[in-house]
Amino acid sequence: MLNRRNFLTAAVSVAAAGGLAACAKKDGSGSGSGGGSKALSLGFSQVGAESGWRAANTTSVKSAAKEAGINLKFSDAQQKQENQISAIRGYIAQKVDVIAFSPVVVTGWDAVLKEAKAAKIPVVLTDRSVETSDSSLYVTLVGSDFTDEGRRAARMLEKVLAKAGLKGPVKIAQLEGTTGAAPAIERGKGFKEIMDAEHKSDWKIVVSQSGDFTRAGGKQVMAAFLQSHSDINVLFAHNDDMAIGAIQSIEAAGKKPGKDILIVSVDGVHDGFVAMSQGKINGIVECNPLLGPQLMEVVKKVHDGQKVERWIKTKESDYTQDQAKAALPTRKY
Ligand code: AHR
C-alpha cells in the first residue's frame, strides 16, 4: 500500500498524473465527458470471482459505469496476473480513455504500466495497490486501508476474547489471503503490529497459510490446521469466505465454531453476517466492496485532467455478534 515515501512523492506524482490525463484529452485519444459525442471508455481488469466481496465489487463497478454513462470494457483475470497484464495490453491496443484495475498481487506491474504511460492512458488502481519503482505510473488508488483492517481485527479479537472470557494462551490460526496480494500482506502486518506491541506474552500465531481468499481454500487449509494443531482456540481469517469454509472443517472435526474456536474475519458480506448471527463468527471487520460510484467519479476527473488525491480511502465499520442480527436485513452485499 502507500508508504511514507509514496506519500512524500504524492504531490509530484499527482501533478505528473494530471499531466498524463490532460495529455490523453489533448491529443484526441480521449473523448471527454463534457462535449464529445463518444462516451468515455474505461478498460477494467478485475481480479476474479474468488469471493462474495469480489462479486459485490463487480456488480458495483458495472452498475456504476452504466449509471455514469461510461463505456465499460470488463475482463475477469481469474486470479492470474498474466491474464491481467494481457487484458491491460488489450485496453492499450484499443486506445481506451482510462484503465482501471484491481491488481491480484503487488509486484510485477512496471512494464505494462510503462506501456500505458507511453500510450498516454492514465491508470487508476482500485481496491488493491501495487509496488512500483515509478510512482507516476498510476494516478490514484480508490480502496481500503488494509493495514488498518488488520489492526482493527486485532482490536476486535480483544473484544471477542473479553466477551468469551477465554483464559490461558491464545493460540491463533491465520488464514491468509492470496499470497503476494496487498490485503493479505497488509492485514497480516496490521494484526501482528498490535499483537507484538500489546499481546506478545499471551497471543501466538501457531499456524498460518494462504487459503487464496476462497471458501474451498479456507475449508481445506483449516482441515489441515486442525490435524496439526488440535489446540487452536482462535481463527483470524483474512476474509469471510475463508472463515465460512473453515467453519465447515471445524464442525467436521466435532468442534463448535464461535465457541471452541473463536473467529474474527474481514469483509462483512451477507454470508459472513449470517454466520455471525448464528454465533459461528464472533466479529467482522468491514471491507467495503461498493467502490463503483467513487471509481467512476475519479475516472471522469482523471480523464478531464482534474487533480485527485493519491489515495481515496473507503469508509468502513466493525461488527460484533450483537450487531449482526440487526444489521443483516439491510446489508447491501
Ligand atoms: O481485495 C479485497 C479482498 O479481496 C477481499 O477482502 C477478499 O474477500 C477479496 O477476495
Side-chain angles (χ1 to χ4, degrees):
M1 192 65 76
L2 300 178
N3 58 30
R4 187 182 294 271
R5 193 158 49 89
N6 285 354
F7 265 112
L8 290 175
T9 55
V12 178
S13 51
V14 165
L20 191 62
C23 287
K25 266 191 90 179
K26 245 184 277 153
D27 72 1
S29 60
S31 55
S33 49
S37 53
K38 208 171 71 166
L40 188 165
S41 61
L42 171 67
F44 183 90
S45 170
Q46 180 61 288
V47 171
E50 73 281 5
S51 62
W53 189 99
R54 191 63 56 197
N57 180 250
T58 292
T59 303
S60 172
V61 168
K62 286 183 177 172
S63 61
K66 205 170 171 196
E67 181 82 8
I70 288 175
N71 174 15
L72 178 72
K73 297 168 192 294
F74 180 93
S75 59
D76 172 344
Q78 298 176 341
Q79 296 242 71
K80 290 196 174 72
Q81 184 174 33
E82 62 266 31
N83 291 348
Q84 286 202 293
I85 290 173
S86 60
I88 294 168
R89 289 207 166 113
Y91 296 142
I92 295 169
Q94 290 169 55
K95 297 186 169 47
V96 297
D97 294 314
V98 180
I99 291 172
F101 76 115
S102 172
V104 61
V105 290
V106 291
T107 55
W109 301 102
D110 276 21
V112 73
L113 292 180
K114 279 179 185 159
E115 290 167 33
K117 187 176 179 180
K120 297 185 168 57
I121 301 176
V123 173
V124 172
L125 301 180
T126 177
D127 164 34
R128 300 180 182 180
S129 189
V130 298
E131 274 168 22
T132 170
S133 58
D134 175 356
S135 58
S136 76
L137 293 179
Y138 70 91
V139 183
T140 181
L141 163 68
V142 179
S144 304
D145 184 337
F146 297 133
T147 308
D148 202 47
E149 287 175 353
R151 291 186 197 111
R152 285 160 50 205
R155 295 295 179 213
M156 175 61 77
L157 180 57
E158 291 170 348
K159 279 191 203 166
V160 165
L161 290 170
K163 189 173 176 213
L166 189 103
K167 302 269 180 282
V170 178
K171 297 187 177 179
I172 305 168
Q174 178 173 236
L175 275 170
E176 301 162 26
T178 303
T179 304
I185 298 167
E186 292 159 14
R187 285 173 190 163
K189 184 175 146 217
F191 185 88
K192 197 167 174 303
E193 186 185 300
I194 301 293
M195 185 175 86
D196 288 352
E198 297 177 36
H199 302 285
K200 218 171 178 129
S201 60
D202 52 336
W203 294 14
K204 190 166 183 225
I205 296 180
V206 294
V207 65
S208 183
Q209 199 183 307
S210 172
D212 211 14
F213 280 131
T214 66
R215 255 177 226 212
K219 183 178 176 185
Q220 195 190 328
V221 176
M222 190 68 199
F225 283 173
L226 290 165
Q227 293 254 326
S228 58
H229 296 79
S230 56
D231 55 347
I232 293 164
N233 51 18
V234 164
L235 169 66
F236 168 38
H238 287 188
N239 81 345
D240 291 345
D241 280 82
M242 291 191 296
I244 291 163
I247 285 168
Q248 293 174 28
S249 292
I250 294 168
E251 287 175 335
K255 296 192 182 214
K256 283 202 170 68
K259 293 215 160 50
D260 299 328
I261 299 185
L262 304 170
I263 303 178
V264 171
S265 67
V266 185
D267 272 358
V269 295
H270 180 269
D271 289 359
F273 265 70
V274 170
M276 198 159 52
S277 63
Q278 293 169 341
K280 296 181 181 185
I281 293 181
N282 303 78
I284 292 181
V285 166
E286 184 182 48
C287 177
N288 190 345
L290 307 180
L291 303 177
Q294 237 174 344
L295 175 64
M296 298 311 148
E297 200 183 308
V298 167
V299 162
K300 281 184 174 175
K301 281 188 179 165
V302 166
H303 181 246
D304 289 345
Q306 290 181 41
K307 255 192 167 185
V308 293
E309 283 175 54
R310 180 70 170 160
W311 184 4
I312 298 159
K313 282 195 204 178
T314 320
K315 288 203 178 85
E316 293 158 346
S317 312
D318 301 331
Y319 295 89
T320 59
Q321 281 179 344
D322 303 335
Q323 296 158 324
K325 274 197 184 124
L328 190 53
T330 56
R331 275 319 272 173
K332 290 201 180 69
Y333 49 91

